[in-house]
Amino acid sequence: MISAKQEQEEIRGIIANALREDVGSGDHSTLACIPKTARGKAALLIKEPGYIAGLDFARQVFESLSAEVVFQPNQADGEFALMGAVAFTVEGPSHALLQAERLVLNAMQRMSGIATKTRAYVARLEGTKTRLLDTRKTTPGIRALEKWAVRLGGGVNHRFALYDAIMLKDNHIDFCGGMHQAIEATKKYLTDHDLNLPVIVEARNFDEIEAICQHDMVTRILIDNFSIGDTKRAVTMIGNHCETESSGMINLETIRDYALCGVDYVSCGAITHSVNNLDLSLKAVE
């Protein structure tokens, strides 16, 4: 997991790059017809029900464009919003409101879609010990926003990127020449570089689970693409040796059955890579 400071740096970078992409040399539509001294007020309208996410991001976008902006949230991030509700109002220089409009909408629609889908998956885990993890199957350039939205939807972030955890997957194991070789090489690497990182190892079959359990340094075993019955057996084999995670074949219909196998986590790429944006609109108001 990255720190709060690192995440905020990522978010500032997203805002700067998005405004560079969208505004470029100037918002000529606004410059052409709106005086620089003009002030306005706008409201974010909820056009379909769902879990709203990205309010604090929106505030940061507006404030990055003008210190004179007054941002007033009417809902909390991660809260359910009814169709027709006003998520926030914002007042300030009209130029800043217009330049921020599309970035705010694009981000909040995407984040709210992720939060809403995540909530549906988390609801299926109620009454179990299992928690829902996201993956790195995110939109390039805005991972921090999508993982933020997962948390607002009640999920848990997996590793943020390649640098904040060791994750030995099938290709690592095969390229290295086998499970024992990959884990021993990882142990030496961490020692040589004085690194303290969680170590997650993917298992494709029971033989690999048995091999992983011979090593004490593993934080979590990723039980990948196992059937429900085989997952139960795998959890029994692993016992208290380390944490367990199910991945592959996780959807709304199967997630609870995998959770009832006793795994600590289920991971699902669909909560970030297959999402319908929530319909929102930013409109000028009196």
Side-chain angles (χ1 to χ4, degrees):
M1 289 287 293
I2 63 171
S3 67
K5 181 180 178 181
Q6 287 175 304
E7 183 179 57
Q8 191 54 49
E9 289 173 355
E10 290 282 341
I11 291 166
R12 282 196 294 266
I14 289 169
I15 292 172
N17 191 52
L19 290 174
R20 175 204 57 77
E21 177 185 62
D22 206 31
V23 179
S25 61
D27 174 10
H28 297 300
S29 303
T30 298
L31 292 168
C33 64
I34 308 292
K36 285 187 177 181
T37 56
R39 295 183 63 85
K41 184 177 181 180
L44 187 82
L45 307 180
I46 309 296
K47 300 180 73 175
E48 64 175 308
Y51 288 88
I52 196 73
L55 288 158
D56 191 59
F57 177 76
R59 176 190 60 77
Q60 292 182 56
V61 173
F62 287 116
E63 290 179 355
S64 75
L65 286 164
S66 173
E68 299 176 34
V69 162
V70 177
F71 184 85
Q72 180 59 55
N74 296 330
Q75 308 229 204
D77 263 323
E79 186 177 55
F80 185 77
L82 295 171
M83 186 174 75
V86 174
F88 69 75
T89 58
V90 60
E91 192 169 358
S94 298
H95 280 219
L97 304 190
L98 289 164
Q99 288 169 12
E101 177 183 3
R102 181 44 54 192
L103 171 55
V104 166
L105 284 172
N106 286 348
M108 287 196 64
Q109 287 177 320
R110 179 72 177 167
M111 291 178 72
S112 298
I114 290 170
T116 299
K117 187 162 191 172
T118 300
R119 285 281 182 183
Y121 276 71
V122 169
R124 298 285 292 148
L125 298 175
E126 187 175 351
T128 74
K129 71 168 187 176
T130 308
R131 304 189 73 185
L132 174 67
L133 291 170
D134 55 20
T135 69
R136 284 170 51 241
K137 295 176 183 177
T138 54
T139 307
I142 62 167
R143 179 174 294 169
L145 299 188
E146 295 187 341
K147 283 183 169 281
W148 187 2
V150 167
R151 297 198 307 273
L152 291 172
V156 178
N157 292 153
H158 214 298
R159 59 176 178 165
F160 184 81
L162 295 172
Y163 56 76
D164 61 326
I166 297 283
M167 189 165 177
L168 303 179
K169 301 195 73 175
D170 52 358
N171 284 336
H172 298 95
I173 294 160
D174 291 342
F175 284 153
C176 192
M179 183 65 75
H180 292 297
Q181 295 93 321
I183 295 176
E184 285 300 322
T186 297
K187 182 177 181 179
K188 184 176 186 304
Y189 176 84
L190 292 173
T191 299
D192 290 348
H193 292 82
D194 194 26
L195 291 172
N196 182 22
L197 296 173
V199 177
I200 304 162
V201 184
E202 179 181 282
R204 293 166 286 189
N205 52 56
F206 296 119
D207 288 341
E208 289 191 340
I209 289 175
E210 187 175 351
I212 297 168
C213 287
Q214 294 176 35
H215 299 269
D216 292 332
M217 62 172 292
V218 176
T219 308
R220 187 188 312 155
I221 296 176
L222 195 163
I223 306 166
D224 189 50
N225 283 304
F226 279 48
S227 68
I228 299 295
D230 285 349
T231 300
K232 289 179 182 178
R233 179 182 167 191
V235 169
T236 300
M237 285 179 65
I238 297 165
N240 295 323
H241 183 79
C242 62
E243 295 177 340
T244 54
E245 172 189 342
S246 279
S247 70
M249 301 188 291
I250 306 295
N251 54 50
L252 275 177
E253 286 68 45
T254 63
I255 187 171
R256 187 167 183 84
D257 290 332
Y258 278 100
L260 291 173
C261 293
V263 294
D264 297 299
Y265 300 97
V266 289
S267 54
C268 181
I271 59 174
T272 53
H273 73 59
S274 299
V275 174
N276 292 322
N277 289 358
L278 202 69
D279 195 6
L280 308 172
S281 181
L282 189 68
K283 294 297 183 184
V285 294
E286 294 295 328

